[in-house]
Amino acid sequence: MNQNQSPQTSEGKHDDDAALSEFLASLMDYTPTIPDELVEHYLAKSGFQCPDVRLIRLVAVATQKFISEVATDAFQHCKARQSSVVKDKRDKQQKEKRLVLTMEDLSRALREVCLASEISRALLYSEKAVILC
Amino acid sequence: MYEEIAIVACKDMARGDFSKSFADIELNNESGQGKPTSMTENGPSNSASATSSEPRQHRKRTRGEDDTFAVEMSDGGKEIGKEFEQQSTRKPAGNEDFVRTIAKIAVAQLCENEGFQSFQHSALEAFADVAVRYMKELGKTSNHYANQGGRSECNVFDVIRGLEDLGSIQGFPGASVVHRSLAKSGIVREISQYVGLVEGIPFVFSLPRFPVSRDRRNSPSSFLQMGKDPPEHIPPWLPVFPFSEPRGELPGLGEGETDGHTARKEIEQEEAPVETNPYLIPPFAFGEKAVSSVEFPSRHWDGIHHVNVMDTYAPIAETARNEVSGIKKMEKQVSLDERPTVRLKFNSVRKSLRTSKNVVAQTKGVEKIAVLFERDDENDEKKRRAEQILKDSMETPLDTTEL
């Protein structure tokens, strides 16, 4: 069975490699919001050495994806909390429209995507996130 | 918007204290309150404590807001106070606050894209911290995998492995397959989907290359890069000697030496007696006396001091060298050893006094003091250097003769 599968996997590997290099090449056209210089600085600080700009872009895109996921989560929390508040006090409904990123929503969102303790330790300083990890 | 963050951060940097001077920054200016002036108004007062910032924010909120928001923002105020304390305890060095501000702006931009209109500053701070830690952690893990593979530079697969490590808590498609190919990792697929869905929004500012990365590349150039011939036993990839310029000025000395240490010692030996023993100094020519009377304005003084010391020493050292060039090395050492103890005591006492004075001038860092001590300091600095050089050279020949 293994012998049957091996040619397929090798072909598949070629395809995967091509797809991966294509994806990396497509990253050069994509401008992530997190600037390359920032990523490069922090990567260099952590000991990461690579002259390849595509890898820095990859890290930037990955970080951006992570951040926007957490932000989306926090946004949902914010909306949910606001709608519940609005039910209670309808008279001041108009002023509630402002969407503020608060520590509460953020810590809730981060609790869901709870990363390695190294990262979430950043929030241990705040009062509301003591339960984290 | 982002300019406000940058402006406030720059103000903080200029003031030297990194006080968080606002509760939240409006992402949309048309959303009513929070005029740009109100963000910077309570800058200095906020650094006192959380309690002082709390009533202020309360007042700000209650003029048009709900009670729940007031409570929230007062909590935010507490957090700001905490953040500030935390920030002041671990002061980031040098350009770190600049980088941190850039990270904050980038995160704020991403939050704005998600639909947020404004944010608590403490939340933004924490969020930027999370982003920074994510990057650092990713770099660390990838580097770890690269090192495990016996490489010093990371490649794509190290980064993918790092991503998988970081995403292993959340989970990603295909994580359960043990012998999976890194090339078709679920993480990469997710990222490529993300890239396809979300269009790239460039950062609001154009950034210069950070000085840190530039410094990293400009490592001290080796003999190969400088195109110099290293001494016999030194491989050419090693960096050049830092004192190669003064050596280059003195052509008579350079040939016979093989070691940099002895070269430095020789230079010091030549300069030290010239500076301290007035009988060894050759007489000045008619116009040459101007060397000691040169004075610099205090603000330029620090920058060019080193160069000028070398320049002022150069003619003296050269003339001395021309005279001494015939004498052998042993004779020099003997001439150095003539009065060692007296000089050493003399030097140590005076040196301690002067260093303490210099330390006072440096730690205060006020220009007035520098002006007050300017003339003294200039002379002191020269003498102190000469004495230090002498002390070094005194110690080393003593050892060799004792042996």
Side-chain angles (χ1 to χ4, degrees):
Chain A
M1 186 173 173
N2 277 338
Q3 291 170 354
N4 290 338
Q5 274 189 350
S6 57
Q8 282 181 1
T9 50
S10 67
E11 278 180 18
K13 265 185 184 174
H14 283 303
D15 287 348
D16 292 337
D17 286 346
L20 184 63
S21 55
E22 193 181 326
F23 165 63
L24 283 180
S26 75
L27 279 182
M28 291 310 292
D29 303 329
Y30 187 81
T31 45
T33 309
I34 299 177
D36 287 346
E37 288 85 0
L38 185 77
V39 180
E40 205 177 334
H41 171 77
Y42 279 117
L43 284 185
K45 269 194 133 187
S46 65
F48 185 96
Q49 259 188 340
C50 185
D52 197 350
V53 191
R54 296 178 299 170
L55 287 194
I56 288 168
R57 280 280 165 86
L58 178 62
V59 173
V61 170
T63 313
Q64 182 181 336
K65 174 170 169 285
F66 170 73
I67 291 295
S68 59
E69 274 173 7
V70 175
T72 315
D73 246 8
F75 189 65
Q76 298 307 325
H77 279 298
C78 181
K79 268 191 164 179
R81 205 162 36 79
Q82 283 198 0
S83 61
S84 68
V85 167
V86 166
K87 273 176 199 167
D88 297 339
K89 302 168 181 174
R90 270 174 292 127
D91 47 343
K92 291 174 182 173
Q93 200 173 351
Q94 303 300 324
K95 308 283 168 66
E96 293 288 323
K97 292 297 181 191
R98 237 166 112 247
L99 296 163
V100 187
L101 171 68
T102 56
M103 203 64 204
E104 198 179 341
D105 300 328
L106 180 66
S107 57
R108 260 190 216 158
L110 278 174
R111 200 176 303 156
E112 282 176 17
V113 290
C114 179
L115 275 170
S117 58
E118 187 72 24
I119 289 175
S120 55
R121 203 177 298 154
L123 293 176
L124 286 183
Y125 295 109
S126 74
E127 284 179 341
K128 295 186 175 178
V130 188
I131 323 156
L132 267 178
C133 287
Chain B
M1 266 171 47
Y2 304 114
E3 287 85 355
E4 287 157 15
I5 309 178
I7 286 169
V8 172
C10 288
K11 273 187 184 174
D12 288 347
M13 275 186 270
R15 258 190 278 122
D17 55 350
F18 308 105
S19 64
K20 302 299 160 239
S21 50
F22 39 71
D24 52 355
I25 293 179
E26 302 288 327
L27 287 176
N28 280 335
N29 277 337
E30 64 265 19
S31 66
Q33 335 143 354
K35 296 172 285 281
T37 49
S38 74
M39 283 150 206
T40 52
E41 69 186 356
N42 49 1
S45 74
N46 208 358
S47 62
S49 67
T51 51
S52 75
S53 70
E54 188 177 334
R56 189 178 277 267
Q57 283 173 6
H58 204 275
R59 174 165 53 85
K60 192 172 134 195
R61 284 291 140 200
T62 44
R63 54 178 185 222
E65 283 278 296
D66 196 5
D67 289 341
T68 54
F69 255 92
V71 169
E72 244 175 48
M73 294 316 287
S74 66
D75 280 346
K78 274 179 204 163
E79 281 159 12
I80 289 169
K82 287 214 158 194
E83 284 281 330
F84 170 66
E85 284 169 14
Q86 177 196 340
Q87 193 83 10
S88 62
T89 48
R90 46 128 215 228
K91 270 191 179 173
N95 55 4
E96 187 57 36
D97 40 359
F98 171 70
V99 185
R100 195 49 76 117
T101 310
I102 299 294
K104 259 190 261 175
I105 296 173
V107 168
Q109 217 179 338
L110 285 173
C111 287
E112 189 190 19
N113 292 340
E114 291 304 322
F116 281 112
Q117 289 165 345
S118 67
F119 47 81
Q120 283 182 0
H121 197 273
S122 56
L124 182 69
E125 189 89 20
F127 209 4
D129 204 17
V130 167
V132 164
R133 276 165 193 252
Y134 187 88
M135 279 186 274
K136 275 188 179 174
E137 194 71 12
L138 187 52
K140 222 194 288 177
T141 330
S142 324
N143 194 38
H144 169 74
Y145 278 117
N147 289 345
Q148 225 172 21
R151 283 167 279 118
S152 63
E153 288 193 350
C154 298
N155 59 20
V156 190
F157 301 108
D158 298 324
V159 179
I160 292 175
R161 276 190 184 176
L163 283 171
E164 285 188 349
D165 269 14
L166 279 182
S168 60
I169 296 180
Q170 295 165 264
F172 53 90
S176 58
V177 186
V178 182
H179 298 291
R180 61 182 183 278
S181 158
L182 278 178
K184 56 173 180 179
S185 167
I187 288 248
V188 180
R189 216 181 311 139
E190 279 187 344
I191 290 178
S192 62
Q193 280 169 7
Y194 175 82
V195 169
L197 285 177
V198 183
E199 80 271 29
I201 300 144
F203 191 65
V204 279
F205 299 125
S206 63
L207 285 181
R209 272 286 200 250
F210 289 157
V212 171
S213 56
R214 205 191 303 150
D215 286 348
R216 192 160 44 94
R217 272 167 206 148
N218 285 353
S219 55
S221 49
S222 63
F223 280 107
L224 266 183
Q225 287 165 346
M226 296 289 284
K228 287 184 180 177
D229 291 336
E232 287 174 17
H233 63 285
I234 299 182
W237 44 265
L238 281 179
V240 292
F241 295 126
F243 45 85
S244 55
E245 272 89 31
R247 244 182 87 196
E249 289 174 8
L250 320 167
L253 204 65
E255 279 88 21
E257 299 152 359
T258 52
D259 194 0
H261 193 60
T262 57
R264 187 192 296 175
K265 245 195 260 173
E266 291 240 341
I267 287 179
E268 284 163 357
Q269 281 172 6
E270 302 249 340
E271 280 183 7
V274 166
E275 275 309 305
T276 52
N277 195 345
Y279 300 106
L280 286 182
I281 300 179
F284 285 121
F286 178 64
E288 257 183 351
K289 205 189 164 189
V291 169
S292 59
S293 66
V294 172
E295 287 179 6
F296 304 105
S298 65
R299 79 186 85 122
H300 301 306
W301 177 69
D302 275 335
I304 52 177
H305 176 70
H306 184 70
V307 180
N308 278 302
V309 165
M310 295 314 294
D311 285 345
T312 49
Y313 285 177
I316 307 171
E318 210 162 359
T319 46
R321 199 161 290 116
N322 289 335
E323 283 191 357
V324 184
S325 59
I327 311 172
K328 288 177 185 175
K329 196 178 174 183
M330 280 304 294
E331 288 173 356
K332 282 181 224 160
Q333 283 180 358
V334 166
S335 71
L336 277 174
D337 291 342
E338 277 176 3
R339 290 182 294 174
T341 50
V342 179
R343 280 187 203 158
L344 274 179
K345 277 183 184 173
F346 189 61
N347 287 339
S348 62
V349 172
R350 293 179 67 185
K351 190 187 164 192
S352 67
L353 279 176
R354 274 166 193 152
T355 47
S356 67
K357 194 194 270 180
N358 280 339
V359 161
V360 168
Q362 282 167 4
T363 48
K364 295 230 173 175
V366 190
E367 196 144 346
K368 277 183 190 172
I369 292 178
V371 169
L372 280 178
F373 285 110
E374 180 192 0
R375 207 173 281 188
D376 288 343
D377 259 354
E378 192 181 345
N379 293 332
D380 277 355
E381 189 72 14
K382 276 184 197 169
K383 283 177 189 170
R384 199 168 56 85
R385 276 176 181 251
E387 282 166 8
Q388 210 166 4
I389 290 170
L390 172 71
K391 197 183 166 190
D392 292 346
S393 63
M394 289 304 292
E395 285 168 5
T396 40
L398 271 179
D399 292 343
T400 51
T401 47
E402 276 171 8
L403 282 173

